[in-house]
């Protein structure tokens, strides 16, 4: 028996396939196949690729379509159509909770789901015990952590539901105190907001200069972190578990995630915590127990061994290497299989990579580090295999290209089991330079999703006049 999980008709459609031993056979994003960023709908190529791994016997859908329809009518949004016929639909937040808890190694945990909105639920807390996930508490539309963040994303001229990560990066360049009080009015205490933020901030009444955008971003990030802290602290007090599973689009805020280590001794955030991860969540919900989680390399397979020697030579000669090999990452981050890897010691590397990527320069690049050296280079006593936390860098002068304006880095830790090839590469770089770290950023054509298949490689090489190692 194989279960197909589907997420579509909102942003970031995806499909996942699991078998009856809990193995994740495939998990892929629609956007990687269609090249439409944050694509709302699944497509034929994604579906064909999934069928290489078997044929589903049952289909699980990631939310309750009719409940959502009701909320869309209630909110004044008309257009909506599900394209999938499914056997069972799970609540939006339950799919998030299942994606998180059933991929974790915990047999008991507090599960927190925070996003913009599901059907009606926007925030929920669940208790995971053994194979059971039970609701503890939930909050409904319009109160929402995600809608608060998205409303300000839109206020400063970015695209809501898509460019929140840019605002998070901008926050490091602003002074949070300038607009802190004003932003606080919209989210004055942990469960309270000024009004329905779904349609944005409509009473700001002040011109916003280019500089203000950075100060507003800093204030929003700061208020968000304070409310998140309060919310999580209460969860820790109420539920008798040292383990946190955090899911929903809000769990993509790596800067805010970092403070949660002061509340919970152990944390699991599935590498695809937003809606794109909910196809796996729906399948897991139908399966009803823990999956056999082996890592996020679950998408399209380019085949081949990890080309360690070729990448190493390229980095030692030209300092930058573009890599596409093996299975694509399931989740928003390139974690080595669709990556640009570079020497982090050279301060000019940041500009060179920015030039290749044709992107805004305030966005930081991430370091990938051998797990055993993480606490020596960064202020962390935990692992971060999927770039979900931003600890302070302890030796910024040695790796200037992977340290953000505020002195932090969005770290990816790697051990031998997680990715033997990438680990070996880091080891070789360490033996040569004494630095167990490389710069790691996503391999994509500007404005497009991560590279996926052979066709994309050809297109990228043509566009950038550079060879991809595979
Ligand atoms: Fe969601």
């Amino acid at each position: 028996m194989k279960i197909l999980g589907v997420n579509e008709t909102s942003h970031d459609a995806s499909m996942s396939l699991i078998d009856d031993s809990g193995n994740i056979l495939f998990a892929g994003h629609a956007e990687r196949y269609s090249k439409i960023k944050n694509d709302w709908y699944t497509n034929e190529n994604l579906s064909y690729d999934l069928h290489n791994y078997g044929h589903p016997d049952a289909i699980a859908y990631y939310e309750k379509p009719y409940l959502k329809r009701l909320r869309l009518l209630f909110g004044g949004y008309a257009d909506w159509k599900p394209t999938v016929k499914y056997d069972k639909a799970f609540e939006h937040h339950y799919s998030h909770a299942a994606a998180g808890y059933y991929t974790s190694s915990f047999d008991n945990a507090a599960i927190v789901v925070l996003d913009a909105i599901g059907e009606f639920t926007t925030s929920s807390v669940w208790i995971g015990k053994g194979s059971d996930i039970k609701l503890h508490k939930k909050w409904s539309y319009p109160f929402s952590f995600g809608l608060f963040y998205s409303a300000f994303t839109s206020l400063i001229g970015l695209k809501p539901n898509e460019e929140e990560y840019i605002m998070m990066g901008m926050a490091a360049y602003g002074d949070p105190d300038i607009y802190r009080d004003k932003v606080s009015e919209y989210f004055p205490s942990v469960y309270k907001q000024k009004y329905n933020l779904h349609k944005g901030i409509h009473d700001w009444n002040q011109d916003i200069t280019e500089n203000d955008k950075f100060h507003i971003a800093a204030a929003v990030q700061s208020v968000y972190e304070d409310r998140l802290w309060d919310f999580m602290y209460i969860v820790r007090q109420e539920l008798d578990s040292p383990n946190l599973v955090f899911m929903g689009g809000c769990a993509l805020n790596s800067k805010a995630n970092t403070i949660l280590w002061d509340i919970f001794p152990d944390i699991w955030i599935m590498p695809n915590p937003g809606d794109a991860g909910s196809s796996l969540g729906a399948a897991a919900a139908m399966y009803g127990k823990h999956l056999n989680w082996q890592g996020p390399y679950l998408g399209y397979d380019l085949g081949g061994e990890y080309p360690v020697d070729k990448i190493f030579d390229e980095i030692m000669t030209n300092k930058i290497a573009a890599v596409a090999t093996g299975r694509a990452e399931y989740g928003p981050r390139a974690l080595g299989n669709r990556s640009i890897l570079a020497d982090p010691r050279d301060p000019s590397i940041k500009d060179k990579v920015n030039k290749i990527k044709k992107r805004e320069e305030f966005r930081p690049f991430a370091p990938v580090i051998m797990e055993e050296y993480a606490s020596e280079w960064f202020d962390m006593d935990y692992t971060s295999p999927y770039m979900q936390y931003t600890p302070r860098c302890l030796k910024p002068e040695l790796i200037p290209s992977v340290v953000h304006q505020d002195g932090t880095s969005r770290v990816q830790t790697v051990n031998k089991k997680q990715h033997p090839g990438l680990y070996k590469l880091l080891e070789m770089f360490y033996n040569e330079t004494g630095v167990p770290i490389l710069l790691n950023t996503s391999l994509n054509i500007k404005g497009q999703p991560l590279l996926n298949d052979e066709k994309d490689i050809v297109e990228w090489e043509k566009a950038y006049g550079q060879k991809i190692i595979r």
Side-chain angles (χ1 to χ4, degrees):
M1 157 113 176
K2 292 191 174 73
I3 302 171
L4 166 66
V6 179
N7 146 47
E8 66 166 4
T9 71
S10 175
H11 50 89
D12 301 299
S14 69
M15 291 171 113
S16 297
L17 189 68
I18 65 173
D19 70 13
D20 46 14
S21 305
N23 297 309
I24 306 166
L25 304 173
F26 175 89
H29 295 227
E31 64 166 28
R32 308 272 165 86
Y33 295 81
S34 67
K35 299 297 155 208
I36 300 167
K37 228 179 161 189
N38 305 100
D39 199 348
W40 281 38
Y41 298 98
T42 56
N43 54 66
E44 272 188 354
N45 289 341
L46 167 65
S47 187
Y48 285 145
D49 195 13
L50 177 132
H51 277 82
N52 289 325
Y53 299 88
H55 299 283
D57 304 293
I59 304 178
Y61 194 62
Y62 84 118
E63 60 182 17
K64 302 254 188 198
Y66 297 102
L67 206 55
K68 175 149 169 189
R69 175 80 179 148
L70 201 64
R71 195 257 302 160
L72 290 168
L73 287 169
F74 172 77
Y77 298 88
D79 182 40
W80 177 83
K81 55 174 193 333
T83 59
V84 174
K85 285 206 172 70
Y86 48 85
D87 296 315
K88 191 155 186 199
F90 296 90
E91 261 185 80
H92 186 107
H93 271 229
Y94 187 72
S95 292
H96 277 310
Y101 183 62
Y102 290 141
T103 56
S104 78
S105 58
F106 301 142
D107 61 5
N108 75 81
I111 308 164
V112 172
V113 181
L114 300 175
D115 61 6
I117 187 170
E119 297 90 353
F120 280 92
T121 305
T122 59
S123 315
S124 59
V125 180
W126 310 74
I127 302 165
K129 233 185 202 115
S131 293
D132 287 337
I133 297 175
K134 245 185 27 219
L135 182 69
H136 173 63
K137 265 185 189 172
K138 65 177 179 181
W139 291 261
S140 287
Y141 182 76
F143 168 79
S144 163
F145 275 80
L147 290 177
F148 164 77
Y149 210 89
S150 294
F152 280 96
T153 301
S154 166
L155 181 75
I156 65 168
L158 297 170
K159 212 168 160 196
N161 264 332
E162 218 181 291
E163 297 187 327
E164 280 74 8
Y165 72 100
I166 296 181
M167 185 164 77
M168 185 182 75
M170 289 168 70
Y173 290 81
D175 176 352
D177 293 334
I178 299 175
Y179 288 108
R180 202 173 195 297
D181 290 347
K182 194 168 160 83
V183 169
S184 278
E185 286 170 24
Y186 294 86
F187 201 166
S189 64
V190 60
Y191 307 128
K192 207 173 154 209
Q193 287 172 343
K194 188 176 180 186
Y195 54 72
N196 184 342
L197 298 167
H198 201 179
K199 288 182 179 170
I201 307 288
H202 53 69
D203 56 352
W204 187 258
N205 294 336
Q206 211 173 325
D207 288 341
I208 299 172
T209 65
E210 282 307 305
N211 265 347
D212 286 336
K213 290 181 180 176
F214 291 90
H215 300 318
I216 293 170
V220 172
Q221 180 68 25
S222 163
V223 170
Y224 172 80
E225 284 180 18
D226 285 356
R227 302 299 169 263
L228 181 70
W229 170 278
D230 292 345
F231 189 95
M232 291 292 191
Y233 190 79
I234 295 166
V235 170
R236 177 83 170 105
Q237 299 297 307
E238 284 183 357
L239 300 186
D240 185 29
S241 177
N243 306 322
L244 171 69
V245 171
F246 185 23
M247 292 293 289
C250 293
L252 287 165
N253 192 317
S254 49
K255 194 166 179 296
N257 293 345
T258 313
I259 63 173
L260 303 178
W261 286 105
D262 291 337
I263 305 176
F264 286 90
D266 208 352
I267 302 174
W268 169 254
I269 302 174
M270 200 267 262
N272 204 357
D275 285 6
S278 285
S279 61
L280 185 59
M286 190 181 266
Y287 185 61
K289 48 191 175 182
H290 281 83
L291 298 172
N292 176 18
W293 176 260
Q294 296 289 331
Y297 307 99
L298 295 164
Y300 184 82
D301 194 356
L302 280 166
E305 288 274 298
Y306 205 66
V308 179
D309 292 329
K310 282 199 243 171
I311 304 170
F312 178 72
D313 289 346
E314 184 72 16
I315 291 175
M316 293 323 288
T317 317
N318 295 320
K319 295 190 173 173
I320 302 177
V323 185
T325 179
R327 294 189 73 172
E329 293 88 347
Y330 181 51
R333 310 264 170 259
L335 297 169
N337 282 9
R338 303 289 188 276
S339 285
I340 292 174
L341 300 168
D343 185 339
R345 300 169 301 161
D346 179 350
S348 71
I349 273 293
K350 193 169 162 177
D351 292 337
K352 284 182 200 152
V353 180
N354 263 325
K355 215 166 178 184
I356 293 178
K357 297 195 60 153
K358 300 192 174 101
R359 54 166 237 173
E360 306 89 336
E361 66 177 291
F362 55 78
R363 281 164 51 199
F365 288 114
V368 52
I369 183 169
M370 295 164 80
E371 186 183 287
E372 60 268 42
Y373 294 107
S375 59
E376 207 178 285
W377 288 76
F378 302 97
D379 183 15
M380 63 195 295
D381 54 6
Y382 47 85
T383 61
S384 177
Y386 313 122
M387 282 188 193
Q388 291 163 322
Y389 309 100
T390 59
R392 196 166 49 83
C393 181
L394 302 174
K395 304 177 184 181
E397 67 288 353
L398 296 182
I399 44 169
S401 67
V402 290
V403 183
H404 200 17
Q405 179 73 10
D406 59 4
T408 64
S409 301
R410 198 181 63 208
V411 175
Q412 178 193 0
T413 56
V414 180
N415 62 34
K416 219 178 254 179
K417 182 169 177 268
Q418 209 181 305
H419 196 314
L422 185 55
Y423 182 84
K424 176 92 186 107
L425 175 69
L426 287 163
E427 199 173 38
M428 286 165 73
F429 189 73
Y430 175 61
N431 290 339
E432 191 72 25
T433 65
V435 175
I437 300 166
L438 288 170
L439 178 156
N440 178 10
T441 186
S442 55
L443 181 62
N444 61 311
I445 290 178
K446 187 180 158 63
Q448 285 197 14
L450 276 178
L451 256 59
N452 200 44
D453 56 19
E454 291 83 354
K455 195 169 82 294
D456 299 342
I457 292 178
V458 173
E459 205 180 314
W460 192 92
E461 289 179 340
K462 226 163 55 195
Y464 294 96
Q466 209 168 322
K467 267 254 164 285
I468 290 175
I469 298 171
R470 44 176 308 198

